[in-house]
Amino acid sequence: MEYYSSHISKLIEELGRLPGIGPKSAQRLAFHIVSLPKDQAVVLADAIRDARENIRYCSVCGTLTDAETCPICADPARNHRQIMVVENSRDLAAYEKTQKYEGVYHVLQGAISPMLGIGPDDIRLKELMQRLQGDVDEVIIATNSSLEGETTAMYISRLIKPTGILVTRIASGVPVGGDLEYIDEVTLLRALDGRTEL
Ligand code: ZN
């Protein structure tokens, strides 16, 4: 038996696919959306379409951005000889919020995970090695302290070592398995300041 109109059922179904949205939340959101003034609902729908159609990956660091090159990579005031390697754009945002890091980033868009079948070729390592052909003083590995993050850090350090470029790893003040985006700024800065050579 259909409890709702097929339109609402469809909306509930789509919302329910989003991470962290269970059936109850999906229902609540769906009823909220259909009760919105029409123009507001359209603004929401347009924002989703615009974001999806216009967002791209920075051609240098690989983070999500609106332009060919992201604002960080395009900023001449940043230290382009210091590259922090992070797993995703959310981790980049976590470090940017501290407003203390002046280098640039490299976004891997993932981490090595033998369990999930994600190998070195599936993340943006080739692009990182290409960037290291230029003038780089230090690569700071800021992958998460999960098993995948540590595996990735070890792999990258072994890859870079022969180039003679300094490779450091953020300190392990970051809780094990902790996603960088959930860690407070003080802890992030302490992890950055306490980084050690690999
Ligand atoms: Zn960039």
Side-chain angles (χ1 to χ4, degrees):
M1 193 171 82
E2 280 281 343
Y3 297 104
Y4 307 128
S5 88
S6 59
H7 297 294
I8 291 213
S9 297
K10 173 80 179 143
L11 185 55
I12 293 172
E13 190 187 318
E14 291 306 321
L15 290 168
R17 290 182 208 276
L18 299 173
I21 306 288
K24 273 199 180 144
S25 302
Q27 227 176 78
R28 195 165 41 81
L29 285 172
F31 280 105
H32 174 74
I33 289 169
V34 294
S35 72
L36 288 173
K38 230 178 193 167
D39 54 340
Q40 257 185 56
V42 170
V43 167
L44 173 65
D46 284 350
I48 294 173
R49 187 182 302 112
D50 276 3
R52 186 60 193 89
E53 282 176 359
N54 295 312
I55 275 189
R56 51 196 292 182
Y57 295 110
C58 169
S59 63
V60 182
C61 72
T63 197
L64 290 169
T65 182
D66 295 333
E68 165 80 13
T69 311
C70 77
I72 299 168
C73 290
D75 185 351
R78 306 286 296 227
N79 178 2
H80 291 260
R81 300 172 71 104
Q82 190 178 43
I83 299 177
M84 184 191 290
V85 178
V86 292
E87 290 182 25
N88 54 52
S89 294
R90 298 191 309 273
D91 293 343
L92 177 154
Y95 267 101
E96 272 309 279
K97 271 188 219 142
T98 67
Q99 296 186 320
K100 291 273 157 51
Y101 176 65
E102 286 166 357
V104 293
Y105 298 90
H106 189 83
V107 181
L108 294 172
Q109 290 165 13
I112 296 171
S113 170
M115 239 166 54
L116 296 174
I118 301 169
D121 294 339
D122 300 317
I123 58 176
R124 298 182 65 258
L125 276 181
K126 230 186 332 120
E127 291 86 345
L128 175 63
M129 295 314 286
Q130 269 160 16
R131 287 179 77 182
L132 300 188
Q133 314 261 317
D135 286 334
V136 176
D137 296 329
E138 181 183 4
V139 174
I140 303 167
I141 305 180
T143 50
N144 289 330
S145 53
S146 59
L147 178 62
E148 291 80 13
E150 293 298 347
T151 307
T152 308
M154 288 314 296
Y155 189 91
I156 296 176
S157 103
R158 262 184 307 203
L159 212 58
I160 298 179
K161 267 282 150 103
T163 66
I165 295 168
L166 174 66
V167 188
T168 56
R169 174 87 172 112
I170 56 166
S172 53
V174 177
V176 171
D179 266 18
L180 285 183
E181 61 172 322
Y182 296 120
I183 294 162
D184 68 87
E185 291 173 20
V186 176
T187 309
L188 272 184
L189 286 175
R190 208 181 293 144
L192 181 59
D193 286 340
R195 66 187 185 274
T196 48
E197 188 172 350
L198 281 180

